[in-house]
Amino acid sequence: MKRVGVIGGGQLARMMALAARPMGLDVHFLDPSQTPCAGDVAPGICAGYDDVKALAELEGWAEAITFEFENVPAASVEHLSSRLPAYPPAKALATAQDRLNEKNMFVELGIEVPEFAAINSLEDLQAAVERVGLPAVLKTRTEGYDGKGQAVLRSTDDLEPAWQRLGSVPLILEGFVNYNREISIIGARARDGSMAFYPVSENTHRDGILHLAICRDNDPMQAKAEAYLGKIAEQLDYVGVLTLELFQVGEHLLANEIAPRVHNSGHWTIEGAETSQFENHLRAVLDLPLGSTDAVGHSAMVNFIGCVPSREAVLSIPGAHLHDYEKEARVGRKVGHVTLRAGSAEALNERIRAAEQLLD
Amino acid sequence: MKRVGVIGGGQLARMMALAARPMGLDVHFLDPSQTPCAGDVAPGICAGYDDVKALAELEGWAEAITFEFENVPAASVEHLSSRLPAYPPAKALATAQDRLNEKNMFVELGIEVPEFAAINSLEDLQAAVERVGLPAVLKTRTEGYDGKGQAVLRSTDDLEPAWQRLGSVPLILEGFVNYNREISIIGARARDGSMAFYPVSENTHRDGILHLAICRDNDPMQAKAEAYLGKIAEQLDYVGVLTLELFQVGEHLLANEIAPRVHNSGHWTIEGAETSQFENHLRAVLDLPLGSTDAVGHSAMVNFIGCVPSREAVLSIPGAHLHDYEKEARVGRKVGHVTLRAGSAEALNERIRAAEQLLD
C-alpha cells in the first residue's frame, strides 16, 4: 500500500505529506481552496469535502483514506469506509463533531469533565447558569475552533446577548475551570488495537489560540492521561493519531475535548520524538508497525500566528527547527511554528524565550 | 531569498528539497533524466548539465544555485557564479573533479595522503608500481565513483590489462592502504568563513559501495579530521557542505578524497544530528546562520543497494527511519537507506544487525 488520500489540504496535510515521502508513500489531498497549504508538497483535487465526484476520484486513486480535520461530513466517511480503509472511523469524527456527544462519552467512560449542560433555549441557559455558576463558556455544539463560536459569560447580563449571537444552533454551556495548567495527550492506535502514547504536552494559549506546547517527559499526570486516552480510543474503535485536551486542577484531569487527528500541540514530535505524530498516523492508517513515541531531548513548539518572523532570526536560535507553512499572512492565522530542541530544560526555556521575542 | 536552483536531480537533490520545504524554501532542479529521483518532491527542468538554455532558465528563476554532485561542468558554474550566488565554488568542483589536483592540494596543505603517482603511459605505471609497490589501485583522474573507473593491481601481470582498459584517459596510481578503518568528516562553511563540523562517520563499504555509516561522537580522531577539513575549506574559499574521506592507519589519518557536496556517509544527520547536512548546506548557500551539528542520540545509516526491503520489515525495527528514494530497483544502485537511532551504542548495534538482516 502506497497511495494515501487525505481529505483536507491545510498545514496538517502538508506535514503529513512531508512525513509520507521518505517512507515512499504518495499523498493526494482534497481541498476546496485554490491555493491549499499542502499544494507545495503534494498533488490536490480542488473540490468541496462533500463533492461526490471528487471523493470518487480520490477513492479511485487511493489505497487508504484519512483526514486532516474533524469537520468532514460523516456521510462522506461512511461511504468511503465501505470501499477502502478510511481512518479515523466515522464514529470518532461524529463524536468529535458534537461537543455534547463528546462530553457524554467522557462521562460514560468515567472520565472527569468540567460542568456542562445542553442549551437549546434561553431558558435552558438561565437554568444551567444557576447550576454551573459564572463565569462559564457558551459554545456551539458543532464546528468552532481556536476560540471561534464561543462566548464567555461573566455576568447574568451576558446571557441574552450571547444567546442572540450563537443561539441559532444547538449550544453547550461549559463551567469555567480554574485550572493549574492545560495539557494534551496524543497517541497512535494501530488496527490491531495496540497503542503508543507520546509524552504529554503542556500548552499555553494566547487569545484562544495555541501559543506554546512543551513536551513534558515523565510528567506526573502521564499515566492518568494515557488511561483516559486509551479508554476513548478503544470506545471509538480508533485507528490513527488521537488527541485529548485536558485541564489539570490539583491532581485531577478534566477532559476538555478530543481531536480525531494529528494536533497542533504535537508538532514538536517532528523533531522532539523518535517518530513524529504525522508518521505514526500514516503508519497506523496503513497498518504498518507503530514507531517509538519516546522523547528526543527536551523540546517545545512556539506557534507563529499572523506572520512568520524572519527566517534568519528564527534560524539563529540554537536548536531551532523552522516550519513555515508558506501561507499568506493574516491576523489570527496559524502560518508556521518553530520547534526548539535542547539538551536540558534550562536551555530549552532560554530558547523558548528567544523565540517569543520574535513574536509581535 | 527563497528560490534555490539545484543542478542534479538524484536522491541528494530530493533530500535537499525535503529539507528546504519546512524552511519555506523552493527548490527547482535540473537533470537530464525523464524520471529524476527528485521529481516526486520538486519541479525539474529536463536537460543536460551543459544545456545553456536550460541553465539560463534555472538562473532566471533562482536566487541562488547549488549542485548535488561534483561532475557539473566547471564552465557552467563559472558562468552562473558571475550572475548570482552559486556554491560550492567552481574551484572546489574543479579540484574534486581531478584526483591528481585533489591529492596535490592535500600535500600542499600538509595533509597526509597515501602514496600516489600521475600515470600517462604504461611506462609511468611500471615506474610508479616499482616505487609505490603492490597491491595498488589505478584510477581515472576524472569521473568514476562507487568503485567505477578503477582497477586493483595485485601482480605485475595486472599492469598491462589495466592500462589497456583505463589508459585512454589520464590516470592516477594510488598505493594500497592497509587501514584500520575508513572515516569521513562533514562540515558546513558559511559565507563569512565560519564552520560547523559533524561528528566523524565510521564507514564500511561492500563491493566498493558504502554500506554502513556510524556516527562516532567524541571520536579520538575528531580534532585531526576537523583540522584537515578546515584547511581544505579555507583553501577552496568554500561555501556549503564539504566532505572529506579518510583512512585511519594507527594514529594517522590519510586523506582519500573530498566531495564538494552533501554525502552519503552523512545521511544519518537527518535524524542523528540537530541540523541535517541538507539543511546546513542550504543555510550556508543562502547566507543563513548555520545550525548546530551536535549528535542527537546514537545513530547510524544502512544503505539499501539494489532494492528497498519491505516497508513493514524496516519500520518494525525500533528507532528506524526509512528513506525510500522511490527509484527503480537495479543491481548496485543506491535506492534508499535507513537511519537507526538509539539511546546507547549497544542498542544501536542491535538495530544495525536487524537492518543488515533485511539485506539480500
Side-chain angles (χ1 to χ4, degrees), chain A residues 1-2 14 21-26 41 274 283 289 296 311-312 315 319-324 326 341, chain B residues 1-2 14 21-26 41 274 283 289 296 311-312 315 319-324 326 341:
Chain A
M1 242 193 292
K2 179 178 169 69
R14 177 187 175 96
R21 197 80 265 167
M23 291 191 285
L25 303 175
D26 286 335
V41 299
E274 189 60 46
R283 289 192 189 204
V296 174
R311 192 177 290 131
E312 177 142 21
L315 296 180
H321 299 273
L322 172 61
H323 296 264
D324 183 337
E326 298 178 84
R341 193 162 57 177
Chain B
M1 243 193 290
K2 180 178 168 69
R14 177 187 175 98
R21 197 80 266 168
M23 291 192 285
L25 303 175
D26 287 334
V41 298
E274 189 60 46
R283 289 193 189 204
V296 174
R311 192 177 291 129
E312 178 143 22
L315 296 179
H321 299 274
L322 173 60
H323 295 265
D324 183 338
E326 299 179 81
R341 194 161 56 176

Side-chain angles (χ1 to χ4, degrees), chain B residues 59-82:
Chain B
E59 179 207 311
W61 173 83
E63 293 164 290
I65 296 274
T66 189
F67 320 97
E68 66 144 15
F69 72 120
E70 57 268 46
N71 291 329
V72 180
S76 302
V77 182
E78 277 297 342
H79 171 76
L80 287 165
S81 63
S82 68

Side-chain angles (χ1 to χ4, degrees), chain A residues 52-342:
Chain A
V52 176
K53 208 174 136 231
L55 285 169
E57 185 186 340
L58 189 66
E59 178 206 310
W61 173 83
E63 293 164 291
I65 296 274
T66 190
F67 321 97
E68 66 143 17
F69 72 120
E70 57 267 47
N71 291 329
V72 180
S76 302
V77 182
E78 277 297 342
H79 171 75
L80 286 165
S81 64
S82 67
R83 305 174 70 108
L84 77 176
Y87 300 109
K91 190 164 142 189
L93 295 179
T95 304
Q97 279 165 8
D98 187 321
R99 291 177 197 280
L100 186 65
N101 291 354
E102 199 178 19
K103 290 278 196 299
N104 284 333
M105 176 187 68
F106 294 150
V107 172
E108 252 175 61
L109 294 173
I111 295 171
E112 289 190 87
V113 289
E115 294 278 356
F116 70 93
I119 307 295
N120 295 307
S121 66
L122 183 57
E123 293 68 42
D124 282 354
L125 181 58
Q126 284 157 340
V129 161
E130 292 224 347
R131 182 170 63 80
V132 169
L134 289 179
V137 188
L138 188 64
K139 297 180 177 177
T140 57
R141 275 174 57 179
T142 62
E143 298 178 355
Y145 62 94
D146 288 346
K148 289 162 194 159
Q150 304 195 0
V152 177
L153 311 180
R154 298 188 186 280
S155 82
T156 48
D157 292 344
D158 296 336
L159 271 55
E160 202 169 333
W163 169 256
Q164 291 304 333
R165 181 158 72 83
L166 301 171
S168 59
V169 293
L171 302 176
I172 183 172
L173 184 74
E174 297 178 6
F176 205 79
V177 180
N178 197 6
Y179 54 80
N180 303 105
R181 59 174 186 155
E182 291 180 89
I183 65 172
S184 56
I185 173 105
I186 298 175
R189 189 167 189 264
R191 290 203 207 166
D192 68 5
S194 61
M195 281 198 79
F197 299 94
Y198 289 97
V200 299
S201 181
E202 185 176 314
N203 306 326
T204 308
H205 291 76
R206 286 186 179 175
D207 303 324
I209 303 174
L210 184 65
H211 157 61
L212 170 67
I214 306 178
C215 166
R216 292 296 187 201
D217 203 17
N218 301 311
D219 192 271
M221 304 313 284
Q222 182 74 27
K224 181 170 263 184
E226 285 188 12
Y228 281 2
L229 189 64
K231 275 189 202 179
I232 296 165
E234 203 172 317
Q235 171 74 17
L236 297 172
D237 298 319
Y238 202 84
V239 173
V241 160
L242 176 64
T243 306
L244 173 62
E245 292 184 44
L246 297 152
F247 299 118
Q248 183 177 352
V249 182
E251 295 305 298
H252 295 265
L253 285 183
L254 309 186
N256 179 27
E257 60 179 26
I258 59 167
R261 55 169 168 82
V262 291
H263 193 259
N264 194 171
S265 68
H267 289 356
W268 56 261
T269 61
I270 297 176
E271 294 88 5
E274 189 60 46
T275 314
S276 81
Q277 62 170 348
F278 300 99
E279 178 169 340
N280 257 337
H281 182 71
L282 290 164
R283 289 192 189 204
V285 167
L286 295 173
D287 208 14
L288 292 163
L290 295 181
S292 162
T293 46
D294 289 352
V296 174
H298 295 257
S299 69
M301 180 223 59
V302 174
N303 259 344
F304 296 135
I305 308 297
C307 66
V308 177
S310 100
R311 192 177 290 131
E312 177 142 21
V314 176
L315 296 180
S316 69
I317 302 171
H321 299 273
L322 172 61
H323 296 264
D324 183 337
Y325 310 152
E326 298 178 84
K327 290 162 79 168
E328 228 174 286
R330 189 194 299 159
V331 174
R333 192 181 208 195
K334 292 176 176 173
V335 292
H337 74 266
V338 61
T339 303
L340 302 157
R341 193 162 57 177

Side-chain angles (χ1 to χ4, degrees), chain B residues 79-327:
Chain B
H79 171 76
L80 287 165
S81 63
S82 68
R83 305 173 70 109
L84 78 175
Y87 300 108
K91 190 164 142 188
L93 294 177
T95 304
Q97 280 166 9
D98 186 320
R99 291 177 197 279
L100 186 64
N101 291 354
E102 197 178 21
K103 291 278 197 298
N104 284 333
M105 176 188 67
F106 294 149
V107 172
E108 252 174 62
L109 295 172
I111 295 171
E112 290 189 86
V113 290
E115 294 275 357
F116 70 94
I119 306 294
N120 294 306
S121 66
L122 183 55
E123 292 68 40
D124 283 355
L125 181 57
Q126 284 156 342
V129 162
E130 292 226 344
R131 181 168 64 80
V132 169
L134 289 178
V137 189
L138 188 65
K139 297 179 176 177
T140 57
R141 275 175 55 180
T142 62
E143 298 178 355
Y145 62 93
D146 289 346
K148 289 162 194 159
Q150 304 195 359
V152 178
L153 311 179
R154 299 189 185 279
S155 82
T156 49
D157 293 345
D158 295 338
L159 271 54
E160 202 169 332
W163 170 256
Q164 292 302 334
R165 182 157 73 82
L166 300 172
S168 60
V169 294
L171 301 177
I172 183 172
L173 184 75
E174 296 178 7
F176 206 79
V177 181
N178 197 6
Y179 55 79
N180 304 105
R181 59 175 186 154
E182 291 179 271
I183 65 173
S184 56
I185 173 106
I186 298 176
R189 189 166 188 265
R191 291 203 207 166
D192 68 4
S194 62
M195 281 198 78
F197 299 94
Y198 289 97
V200 299
S201 181
E202 185 176 316
N203 306 325
T204 309
H205 290 76
R206 285 185 179 176
D207 303 324
I209 302 174
L210 184 65
H211 156 61
L212 170 67
I214 306 178
C215 166
R216 293 295 188 202
D217 203 15
N218 301 311
D219 192 271
M221 304 313 284
Q222 182 74 28
K224 182 170 263 184
E226 285 188 12
Y228 281 2
L229 189 65
K231 276 189 205 180
I232 296 165
E234 204 172 316
Q235 170 74 18
L236 297 172
D237 298 318
Y238 202 84
V239 172
V241 160
L242 176 64
T243 307
L244 173 63
E245 293 185 44
L246 297 151
F247 300 118
Q248 183 177 353
V249 183
E251 296 304 299
H252 295 265
L253 285 182
L254 310 186
N256 179 25
E257 61 179 25
I258 59 167
R261 54 170 169 82
V262 291
H263 194 259
N264 193 170
S265 67
H267 289 358
W268 57 261
T269 62
I270 296 177
E271 295 87 7
E274 189 60 46
T275 312
S276 81
Q277 63 170 349
F278 301 99
E279 178 168 340
N280 258 338
H281 182 71
L282 290 165
R283 289 193 189 204
V285 167
L286 295 173
D287 208 14
L288 293 164
L290 296 180
S292 161
T293 46
D294 289 352
V296 174
H298 295 257
S299 68
M301 180 224 59
V302 174
N303 258 345
F304 296 136
I305 308 296
C307 66
V308 177
S310 100
R311 192 177 291 129
E312 178 143 22
V314 176
L315 296 179
S316 69
I317 302 171
H321 299 274
L322 173 60
H323 295 265
D324 183 338
Y325 311 150
E326 299 179 81
K327 289 160 80 169

